[in-house]
Amino acid sequence: MNVAHYLITGGAGFIGSHLAELLSSSNHRITILDNLSSGHLHNIASLLGPNVQFVNGDIRDRDLVCSLMTNCDGAFHLAALVSVPQSISQPEDSFAINLQGTLNLFEASRVQKQQKIVFASSAAIYGDVQQQPIKEECRDVPLSPYGLHKWMCEEHANLYCQLYGVSSVGLRFFNVFGPRQDPSSPYSGVISIFIDRILKEQPATIYGDGTQNRDFVYVGDVVQALIKSMNCTNSGFKAYNVGRGSSITVSNLWGTLCEISGVDLVPNYGPARSGEIHTSLADISAISRDLGYKPETNLEEGLKKVLQYQR
């Protein structure tokens, strides 16, 4: 990847701050746009300087997005309302942030110099598909506004490619975990919430019967996928799964974390959450073949890193 100037929306958040950290270590210029609704300045404070600028603003502000894109070579779009339950309770916010905010970036690229956009899509677009592992061509009806709006982002990306020549890559993240997830948020990742309960010696609540399977992928591997996507030479639109390619049940995840932590806690069980699927396992053969993506952090190693960070 040649030294360049990149915009990172949501760059003070969980994934965005890890991406900014790696890009800045390679001497890239970075502009971070974040309204700090879920991101935190302390995630990026050590990075700020001549090559890393922070702008406190909103992805829904079209004029601001256009002005920030003017001097950038490409954009990593990670700003989002990321919670499935929150999108169900706040569908208009999900539409405005996840779809309209993304369109603001594509419009900026269209009217300027067609900068490449790598954006966060989601496995939520698949709905409750029965075929496992899930390939990119699988499709069912999304079960939440979040999943629907992420699917619509991909459809617009494809259209902007065909009509206007805007190049982009949509990465369908499965269950991303790692340091800097906020366990105090009810919408945070299950791993950070589980570890928070373990460190407080409190039982966690598992929603559903605990047999639901998830493909948990470490944040460092997600950053690898983001950078490889920006660096690839495709001139159209492509969508890829980003996962680890293996899954674990939520109950077994809790058991593994207890074993790593040296505690013995029995979880509580609650009703299944609306809009959540039972089984989710990524087929990562396409991104591995096309971009050379290969997960480097296994689940237990990643869990130990998060445990150490939250301690």
Side-chain angles (χ1 to χ4, degrees):
M1 177 182 279
N2 296 325
V3 175
H5 183 185
Y6 295 110
L7 173 66
I8 306 177
T9 72
F14 164 46
I15 298 174
S17 63
H18 284 277
L19 173 64
E21 189 173 60
L22 188 57
L23 288 174
S24 65
S25 71
S26 301
N27 298 317
H28 295 290
R29 289 181 60 207
I30 301 165
T31 299
I32 292 170
L33 173 64
D34 203 304
N35 67 1
L36 302 179
S37 59
S38 58
H40 303 280
L41 270 179
H42 62 73
N43 286 340
I44 58 170
S46 64
L47 306 178
L48 300 179
N51 286 334
V52 181
Q53 175 192 12
F54 170 71
V55 177
N56 190 335
D58 199 294
I59 190 66
R60 290 168 287 187
D61 185 337
R62 181 180 298 181
D63 292 339
L64 175 61
V65 170
C66 285
S67 67
L68 295 179
M69 282 282 281
T70 301
N71 298 316
C72 288
D73 299 297
F76 294 94
H77 178 39
L78 301 169
L81 186 152
V82 297
S83 162
V84 167
Q86 194 175 3
S87 79
I88 292 173
S89 63
Q90 303 171 30
E92 290 186 356
D93 287 343
S94 176
F95 181 92
I97 297 168
N98 293 339
L99 182 58
Q100 187 59 58
T102 302
L103 284 181
N104 288 344
L105 273 175
F106 278 101
E107 268 295 283
S109 179
R110 178 182 74 85
V111 301
Q112 294 178 23
K113 53 184 178 181
Q114 299 181 332
Q115 304 97 319
K116 186 173 185 177
I117 299 171
V118 177
F119 65 97
S121 186
S122 173
I125 71 167
Y126 291 118
D128 198 7
V129 296
Q130 299 305 304
Q131 178 182 330
Q132 302 289 332
I134 301 171
K135 296 179 179 291
E136 280 83 357
E137 59 267 23
C138 293
R139 186 68 76 247
D140 204 338
V141 178
L143 302 180
S144 66
Y146 176 77
L148 176 63
H149 298 148
K150 287 293 186 179
W151 173 76
M152 292 171 72
C153 288
E154 289 194 10
E155 292 297 296
H156 280 84
N158 191 41
L159 191 66
Y160 269 70
C161 165
Q162 295 179 31
L163 293 180
Y164 311 120
V166 176
S167 175
S168 65
V169 178
L171 296 179
R172 298 170 182 172
F173 296 158
F174 279 64
N175 291 75
V176 187
F177 76 101
R180 299 180 196 153
Q181 279 185 307
D182 182 4
S184 65
S185 168
Y187 304 122
S188 187
V190 65
I191 287 176
S192 62
I193 293 174
F194 277 8
I195 290 177
D196 181 63
R197 298 298 184 273
I198 286 172
L199 293 178
K200 294 176 179 176
E201 298 185 1
Q202 299 173 351
T205 297
I206 294 176
Y207 296 95
D209 61 8
T211 63
Q212 55 268 46
N213 281 269
R214 294 291 181 267
D215 186 333
F216 293 100
V217 57
Y218 188 69
V219 65
D221 292 321
V222 169
V223 168
Q224 174 202 160
L226 286 161
I227 292 176
K228 286 182 180 295
S229 297
M230 182 61 75
N231 206 29
C232 72
T233 57
N234 79 295
S235 58
F237 166 68
K238 289 287 290 185
Y240 293 108
N241 290 336
V242 179
R244 200 164 44 87
S246 60
S247 64
I248 186 173
T249 69
V250 175
S251 288
N252 285 343
L253 171 67
W254 173 256
T256 300
L257 282 168
C258 286
E259 183 177 348
I260 291 173
S261 308
V263 301
D264 185 13
L265 290 168
V266 178
N268 299 316
Y269 287 85
R273 283 174 165 165
S274 175
E276 291 195 344
I277 63 175
H278 186 271
T279 302
S280 181
L281 171 61
D283 184 317
I284 57 173
S285 57
I287 191 171
S288 299
R289 178 191 67 240
D290 293 354
L291 304 186
Y293 167 80
K294 183 180 180 181
E296 297 174 350
T297 303
N298 65 41
L299 180 60
E300 187 167 325
E301 179 186 356
L303 294 176
K304 289 177 179 177
K305 289 181 179 180
V306 183
L307 180 63
Q308 181 181 19
Y309 172 80
Q310 289 188 215
R311 273 186 171 141

Coordinates of all heavy atoms in Angstrom, one line a residue, residues 32-83:
I32 N -9.9 11.3 10.8 CA -10.9 10.5 11.5 C -12.1 11.3 11.7 O -12.1 12.4 12.3 CB -10.3 10.0 12.9 CG1 -9.2 9.0 12.7 CG2 -11.4 9.4 13.7 CD1 -8.4 8.7 13.9
L33 N -13.3 10.8 11.2 CA -14.6 11.5 11.5 C -15.4 10.6 12.4 O -15.6 9.4 12.2 CB -15.3 11.6 10.1 CG -16.8 12.1 10.2 CD1 -16.8 13.5 10.8 CD2 -17.5 12.0 8.9
D34 N -15.8 11.2 13.5 CA -16.5 10.4 14.5 C -17.3 11.4 15.4 O -16.8 12.5 15.8 CB -15.6 9.6 15.4 CG -16.2 8.4 16.1 OD1 -17.2 8.6 16.8 OD2 -15.7 7.3 15.9
N35 N -18.6 11.0 15.7 CA -19.4 11.9 16.5 C -19.3 11.5 18.0 O -20.0 12.0 18.9 CB -20.8 12.0 16.1 CG -21.6 10.7 16.2 OD1 -21.0 9.7 16.7 ND2 -22.8 10.6 15.8
L36 N -18.5 10.4 18.3 CA -18.3 9.9 19.7 C -19.5 9.4 20.3 O -19.6 9.4 21.6 CB -17.6 11.0 20.5 CG -16.3 11.6 20.0 CD1 -15.7 12.6 20.9 CD2 -15.3 10.5 19.8
S37 N -20.5 9.0 19.6 CA -21.7 8.4 20.2 C -21.4 7.0 20.7 O -22.0 6.6 21.7 CB -22.8 8.3 19.1 OG -22.5 7.5 18.0
S38 N -20.5 6.3 20.1 CA -20.0 5.1 20.6 C -18.5 4.9 20.7 O -18.0 4.1 21.3 CB -20.7 3.9 19.9 OG -20.3 4.0 18.5
G39 N -17.8 5.8 19.9 CA -16.4 5.9 19.9 C -15.9 6.7 21.1 O -16.7 7.4 21.8
H40 N -14.6 6.7 21.3 CA -14.0 7.4 22.5 C -12.7 8.0 22.0 O -11.8 7.3 21.4 CB -13.7 6.4 23.6 CG -15.0 5.7 24.1 ND1 -15.9 6.3 24.9 CD2 -15.4 4.5 23.9 CE1 -16.9 5.5 25.2 NE2 -16.6 4.3 24.6
L41 N -12.4 9.2 22.5 CA -11.2 9.9 22.1 C -10.0 9.2 22.7 O -8.9 9.2 22.1 CB -11.2 11.4 22.6 CG -11.8 12.4 21.7 CD1 -11.8 13.8 22.4 CD2 -11.0 12.5 20.4
H42 N -10.1 8.6 23.8 CA -9.0 7.9 24.4 C -8.5 6.7 23.5 O -7.3 6.3 23.7 CB -9.2 7.4 25.8 CG -10.3 6.4 26.0 ND1 -10.2 5.1 25.6 CD2 -11.6 6.5 26.5 CE1 -11.3 4.4 25.8 NE2 -12.2 5.3 26.4
N43 N -9.3 6.2 22.6 CA -8.9 5.2 21.7 C -7.9 5.7 20.7 O -7.1 4.9 20.2 CB -10.1 4.6 20.9 CG -11.0 3.7 21.8 OD1 -10.6 3.2 22.8 ND2 -12.2 3.6 21.4
I44 N -7.9 7.0 20.4 CA -7.0 7.5 19.4 C -6.1 8.6 19.9 O -5.3 9.2 19.1 CB -7.8 8.0 18.2 CG1 -8.8 9.1 18.6 CG2 -8.6 6.9 17.5 CD1 -9.5 9.8 17.5
A45 N -6.2 9.0 21.1 CA -5.4 10.1 21.7 C -4.0 10.1 21.4 O -3.3 11.1 21.0 CB -5.7 10.3 23.2
S46 N -3.4 8.9 21.5 CA -1.9 8.7 21.3 C -1.5 8.9 19.8 O -0.4 9.0 19.5 CB -1.4 7.4 21.8 OG -2.0 6.3 21.1
L47 N -2.5 8.8 18.9 CA -2.2 8.9 17.5 C -2.2 10.3 16.9 O -1.6 10.6 15.9 CB -3.2 8.0 16.7 CG -3.4 6.6 17.1 CD1 -4.5 5.9 16.2 CD2 -2.2 5.8 17.0
L48 N -3.0 11.2 17.6 CA -3.2 12.5 17.0 C -1.9 13.3 16.9 O -1.0 13.3 17.8 CB -4.2 13.3 17.9 CG -5.6 12.6 18.1 CD1 -6.5 13.5 19.0 CD2 -6.2 12.4 16.7
G49 N -1.8 14.0 15.8 CA -0.6 14.7 15.5 C -0.6 15.2 14.0 O -1.7 15.3 13.4
P50 N 0.6 15.5 13.5 CA 0.6 16.1 12.1 C 0.0 15.2 11.1 O -0.6 15.8 10.1 CB 2.1 16.3 11.9 CG 2.7 16.3 13.2 CD 1.9 15.5 14.1
N51 N 0.0 13.9 11.2 CA -0.5 13.0 10.2 C -1.9 12.4 10.5 O -2.4 11.7 9.7 CB 0.5 11.9 9.9 CG 1.7 12.3 9.2 OD1 1.7 13.3 8.4 ND2 2.8 11.6 9.3
V52 N -2.4 12.7 11.7 CA -3.6 12.1 12.1 C -4.5 13.2 12.7 O -4.2 13.8 13.8 CB -3.5 11.0 13.2 CG1 -4.9 10.4 13.6 CG2 -2.6 9.9 12.7
Q53 N -5.6 13.5 12.0 CA -6.5 14.6 12.4 C -7.8 14.0 12.8 O -8.3 13.1 12.2 CB -6.7 15.6 11.2 CG -7.7 16.7 11.5 CD -8.2 17.4 10.2 OE1 -7.9 17.0 9.1 NE2 -8.9 18.5 10.4
F54 N -8.4 14.6 13.9 CA -9.7 14.1 14.4 C -10.7 15.2 14.1 O -10.5 16.4 14.4 CB -9.7 13.8 15.8 CG -11.1 13.6 16.4 CD1 -11.8 12.5 16.1 CD2 -11.6 14.5 17.3 CE1 -13.1 12.3 16.6 CE2 -12.9 14.3 17.8 CZ -13.6 13.2 17.5
V55 N -11.9 14.9 13.5 CA -13.0 15.8 13.3 C -14.2 15.2 14.0 O -14.7 14.1 13.8 CB -13.3 15.9 11.8 CG1 -14.5 16.9 11.6 CG2 -12.1 16.5 11.1
N56 N -14.7 16.0 15.0 CA -15.9 15.6 15.7 C -17.1 16.0 14.8 O -17.5 17.2 14.8 CB -16.0 16.3 17.1 CG -17.1 15.8 18.0 OD1 -18.1 15.2 17.5 ND2 -16.9 15.9 19.3
G57 N -17.7 15.1 14.2 CA -18.8 15.3 13.3 C -19.6 14.1 12.9 O -19.2 13.0 13.4
D58 N -20.6 14.2 12.1 CA -21.6 13.2 11.9 C -21.6 12.7 10.5 O -21.6 13.6 9.6 CB -23.0 13.6 12.3 CG -23.9 12.5 12.6 OD1 -24.3 11.8 11.6 OD2 -24.3 12.3 13.7
I59 N -21.6 11.5 10.2 CA -21.7 10.9 8.9 C -22.9 11.4 8.1 O -23.0 11.4 6.9 CB -21.6 9.4 8.9 CG1 -21.4 8.8 7.5 CG2 -22.8 8.8 9.5 CD1 -20.1 9.1 6.9
R60 N -24.0 11.8 8.8 CA -25.2 12.3 8.2 C -25.0 13.7 7.7 O -25.9 14.2 7.0 CB -26.3 12.2 9.2 CG -26.8 10.8 9.5 CD -27.7 10.7 10.7 NE -27.0 11.0 11.9 CZ -27.5 10.8 13.2 NH1 -28.8 10.4 13.3 NH2 -26.8 11.1 14.2
D61 N -24.0 14.4 8.0 CA -23.7 15.8 7.5 C -23.0 15.7 6.2 O -21.8 15.5 6.0 CB -22.8 16.5 8.5 CG -22.6 18.0 8.2 OD1 -22.7 18.3 7.1 OD2 -22.2 18.7 9.1
R62 N -23.9 15.8 5.1 CA -23.4 15.6 3.7 C -22.3 16.6 3.4 O -21.3 16.2 2.8 CB -24.5 15.7 2.7 CG -24.1 15.5 1.3 CD -25.3 15.6 0.3 NE -26.3 14.6 0.6 CZ -27.4 14.5 -0.1 NH1 -27.6 15.3 -1.1 NH2 -28.3 13.5 0.2
D63 N -22.5 17.9 3.7 CA -21.5 18.9 3.4 C -20.1 18.6 4.0 O -19.1 18.7 3.4 CB -21.9 20.3 3.7 CG -23.1 20.7 2.9 OD1 -23.3 20.2 1.8 OD2 -23.9 21.6 3.3
L64 N -20.2 18.2 5.3 CA -18.9 17.9 6.0 C -18.2 16.7 5.4 O -17.0 16.7 5.1 CB -19.2 17.6 7.5 CG -18.1 17.1 8.3 CD1 -17.0 18.2 8.4 CD2 -18.5 16.7 9.7
V65 N -19.0 15.6 5.0 CA -18.4 14.4 4.4 C -17.8 14.8 3.1 O -16.7 14.4 2.8 CB -19.5 13.4 4.2 CG1 -19.0 12.2 3.3 CG2 -20.0 12.8 5.6
C66 N -18.4 15.6 2.3 CA -17.9 16.0 1.0 C -16.6 16.8 1.2 O -15.6 16.6 0.4 CB -18.9 16.8 0.2 SG -20.2 15.9 -0.5
S67 N -16.5 17.7 2.1 CA -15.3 18.5 2.3 C -14.2 17.6 2.8 O -13.0 17.8 2.4 CB -15.6 19.6 3.3 OG -15.8 19.1 4.6
L68 N -14.4 16.6 3.7 CA -13.4 15.8 4.2 C -12.9 14.8 3.1 O -11.7 14.4 3.1 CB -13.9 15.0 5.4 CG -14.2 15.8 6.6 CD1 -14.7 14.9 7.7 CD2 -13.0 16.6 7.1
M69 N -13.8 14.4 2.2 CA -13.4 13.5 1.1 C -12.5 14.2 0.0 O -11.8 13.5 -0.7 CB -14.6 12.9 0.4 CG -15.2 11.8 1.2 SD -14.4 10.2 1.1 CE -15.0 9.7 -0.5
T70 N -12.6 15.5 0.0 CA -11.9 16.3 -1.1 C -10.4 15.9 -1.2 O -9.9 15.7 -2.3 CB -12.1 17.8 -0.9 OG1 -13.5 18.1 -0.9 CG2 -11.4 18.6 -2.0
N71 N -9.7 15.9 -0.1 CA -8.3 15.7 -0.2 C -7.9 14.3 0.1 O -6.7 14.0 0.4 CB -7.6 16.6 0.8 CG -7.9 18.1 0.5 OD1 -7.8 18.5 -0.7 ND2 -8.2 18.9 1.5
C72 N -8.8 13.3 0.2 CA -8.5 12.0 0.5 C -8.3 11.1 -0.7 O -9.0 11.3 -1.7 CB -9.6 11.4 1.4 SG -9.5 12.0 3.1
D73 N -7.5 10.1 -0.6 CA -7.3 9.1 -1.7 C -8.3 8.0 -1.6 O -8.5 7.3 -2.6 CB -5.9 8.5 -1.6 CG -4.8 9.6 -1.8 OD1 -4.8 10.3 -2.9 OD2 -4.0 9.9 -0.9
G74 N -8.9 7.8 -0.5 CA -9.9 6.7 -0.3 C -10.5 6.8 1.1 O -10.0 7.6 2.0
A75 N -11.5 6.1 1.3 CA -12.2 6.1 2.6 C -12.5 4.7 3.1 O -12.9 3.8 2.4 CB -13.6 6.9 2.5
F76 N -12.3 4.6 4.4 CA -12.7 3.4 5.2 C -14.0 3.8 6.0 O -13.9 4.7 6.8 CB -11.7 2.9 6.1 CG -10.4 2.4 5.5 CD1 -9.3 3.2 5.3 CD2 -10.3 1.0 5.1 CE1 -8.2 2.7 4.7 CE2 -9.2 0.5 4.5 CZ -8.1 1.4 4.3
H77 N -15.1 3.2 5.6 CA -16.4 3.6 6.2 C -16.8 2.6 7.3 O -17.3 1.6 7.0 CB -17.4 3.8 5.1 CG -18.8 4.2 5.6 ND1 -19.0 5.1 6.7 CD2 -20.0 3.7 5.3 CE1 -20.3 5.2 6.9 NE2 -20.9 4.4 6.1
L78 N -16.7 3.0 8.6 CA -17.0 2.2 9.7 C -18.0 2.8 10.6 O -18.5 2.1 11.5 CB -15.7 1.8 10.5 CG -14.6 1.1 9.7 CD1 -13.4 1.1 10.5 CD2 -15.1 -0.3 9.3
A79 N -18.4 4.1 10.4 CA -19.4 4.7 11.2 C -20.8 4.0 11.0 O -21.2 3.8 9.8 CB -19.5 6.2 10.9
A80 N -21.5 3.7 12.1 CA -22.7 3.0 11.9 C -23.5 3.0 13.2 O -22.9 3.1 14.3 CB -22.5 1.6 11.4
L81 N -24.8 2.8 13.2 CA -25.5 2.3 14.3 C -25.4 0.8 14.2 O -26.0 0.2 13.3 CB -27.0 2.8 14.2 CG -27.9 2.5 15.4 CD1 -29.0 3.5 15.5 CD2 -28.5 1.1 15.3
V82 N -24.7 0.2 15.1 CA -24.2 -1.2 14.9 C -25.0 -2.3 15.5 O -24.8 -3.5 15.3 CB -22.7 -1.4 15.4 CG1 -21.8 -0.5 14.6 CG2 -22.6 -1.1 16.9
S83 N -26.0 -1.9 16.3 CA -26.8 -2.9 17.1 C -28.1 -3.3 16.4 O -28.9 -2.5 16.0 CB -27.1 -2.3 18.5 OG -28.1 -3.1 19.1

